[in-house]
Amino acid sequence: MKRIFSLLAACVLALGLAACGSSPASSGEPKDYAAILAAARPAEDNENYVIFHLKDGAYTASGGYAGDLTDEDVASQGAMCLQMLGLAAEDVQEAVFSVSLMNVQSYGLAIVKPADGKEAAVTDGLQTFIDGQKAAQENYLADQYAIAKAAKLETVKSGEVVLVMCPEQDTVFSSIKDALA
């Protein structure tokens, strides 16, 4: 009887530990990075700024003026924004990003899942983007310099590298981190 009770207790403990160890991040379920980014930022930003999505070497776009873009426009503008962020397509397994191409605005959001062994390249590229925005605005527009200076760049527990540079960056960053957790 003791043996059966011990075996039963061991099974219950093992099942409990297995349940505690599972999470959405470890389940392998794909995350909708574009939806996470869109949900995190203000509605006005979703109306004004396109979100580009790079996956499997192909670009798609949503939000902003994306409906006015041809497939060729999406591919060329997506590649240009990726380069502006200091990233190379081969360093990225998947990425969503939204960047202002105007030199009078410090604005950039990105969720990047680095390719295997490329986290440092992704982080370095995004840091170069931040440094460039700070340098461009330092003696030009004080409010935009403050935004660039306060930019957030972090690798979250689930492995994605997150960049947030926008006026509402604390709120946007927290929302993205919570959605990726």
Side-chain angles (χ1 to χ4, degrees), residues 150-167:
K152 298 186 179 302
L153 177 62
E154 184 178 316
T155 301
V156 297
K157 287 182 182 181
S158 54
E160 295 90 353
V161 179
V162 176
L163 162 72
V164 176
M165 179 190 303
C166 65

Side-chain angles (χ1 to χ4, degrees), residues 49-112:
Y49 300 107
V50 174
I51 296 174
F52 292 97
H53 185 187
L54 173 61
K55 185 174 183 181
D56 299 327
Y59 289 95
T60 57
S62 60
Y65 55 89
D68 298 333
L69 299 175
T70 66
D71 290 344
E72 292 167 356
D73 293 336
V74 169
S76 66
Q77 287 185 27
M80 181 174 59
C81 290
L82 189 73
Q83 183 178 16
M84 184 177 175
L85 286 167
L87 302 175
E90 60 269 11
D91 295 337
V92 172
Q93 182 177 347
E94 182 176 0
V96 296
F97 46 91
S98 186
V99 180
S100 173
L101 299 175
M102 298 185 306
N103 66 350
V104 295
Q105 187 171 32
S106 292
Y107 184 90
L109 303 173
I111 302 170
V112 182

Side-chain angles (χ1 to χ4, degrees), residues 23-29 31 158 180-181:
S23 68
S26 64
S27 68
E29 294 178 25
K31 298 173 185 163
S158 54
L180 293 173

Side-chain angles (χ1 to χ4, degrees), residues 108-167:
L109 303 173
I111 302 170
V112 182
K113 186 173 185 180
D116 288 338
K118 298 295 186 170
E119 182 182 332
V122 168
T123 303
D124 291 348
L126 293 173
Q127 185 61 55
T128 299
F129 170 72
I130 293 168
D131 294 342
Q133 290 294 306
K134 288 191 297 189
Q137 302 298 346
E138 186 172 14
N139 298 312
Y140 185 51
L141 294 169
D143 63 329
Q144 297 305 306
Y145 175 68
I147 291 169
K149 188 175 175 185
K152 298 186 179 302
L153 177 62
E154 184 178 316
T155 301
V156 297
K157 287 182 182 181
S158 54
E160 295 90 353
V161 179
V162 176
L163 162 72
V164 176
M165 179 190 303
C166 65

